[in-house]
């Protein structure tokens, strides 16, 4: 009963369910994911109104630095590969932003 | 009935509900958000197994470029401010990654 009421809180706004196929004969099947309008950051800096990070790109030490976009990284704002677990658990297809210093 | 079964698909894994306060007397109250283990990207490049973007930082044209971390931007991978609507609708506190070129 509790889980149903939690669902109902968020069920009012929905991005809907994506079809399994976009319809074209040669089109690659689209993943079917249901994404509700709800928070996607469970735990990162929740005392801040908005979590914004800045990178001075001239100060990047390594040729390649990956930045998190899944909000699950233990080294946020850096990527620690947590999107792999998230994608596996949810069927999602998210990944990091790679900054390349030449 | 359909919406209930959608909820049940994702209800098995949960990050739980955060307390309203972290307990310290002077601590800023934490936002209470319920975040389930479900997909956070509703629509961006769903034919790709994993959405990874690369930025060659030496090619950044502007002194400041904002990159999306909310998966709602119409100009993804760039930020278009869509996190503001997302935060308002959900109580979340996410924001972009700012790349500063000097």
């Amino acid at each position: 009963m509790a889980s149903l009421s939690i669902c109902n809180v968020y069920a009012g706004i929905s991005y809907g369910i994506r079809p399994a196929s976009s319809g074209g004969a040669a089109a690659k099947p689209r993943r079917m994911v249901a994404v509700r309008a709800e928070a996607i950051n469970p735990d990162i800096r929740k005392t801040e109104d908005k979590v914004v990070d800045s990178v001075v790109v001239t100060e990047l030490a390594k040729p390649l630095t990956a930045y998190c976009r899944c909000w699950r990284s233990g080294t946020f704002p850096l990527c620690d590969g947590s999107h792999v677990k998230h994608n596996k658990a949810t069927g999602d297809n998210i990944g990091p932003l790679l900054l390349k210093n030449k």
Side-chain angles (χ1 to χ4, degrees), chain A:
Chain A
M1 195 60 187
S3 65
L4 293 184
S5 62
I6 290 170
C7 287
N8 289 338
V9 169
Y10 295 103
I13 308 168
S14 174
Y15 290 96
I17 299 174
R18 305 288 159 197
S21 165
S22 57
K28 190 174 174 185
R30 287 172 64 90
R31 291 153 180 275
M32 185 187 293
V33 294
V35 179
R36 278 181 291 269
E38 65 180 41
I40 67 177
N41 170 26
D43 207 33
I44 292 169
R45 292 149 52 189
K46 297 306 278 189
T47 56
E48 298 179 22
D49 286 339
K50 184 157 64 173
V51 178
V52 178
D53 296 282
S54 294
V55 178
V56 179
V57 298
T58 53
E59 295 175 357
L60 286 167
K62 295 183 293 179
L64 180 67
T65 311
Y67 280 82
C68 176
R69 299 191 293 191
C70 78
W71 299 91
R72 304 290 181 274
S73 174
T75 59
F76 195 91
L78 296 173
C79 170
D80 71 354
S82 291
H83 58 272
V84 174
K85 183 181 172 189
H86 164 83
N87 286 343
K88 200 165 198 174
T90 65
D92 211 352
N93 68 333
I94 63 175
L97 181 70
L98 306 180
L99 302 190
K100 296 183 176 178
N101 196 0
K102 270 287 180 198

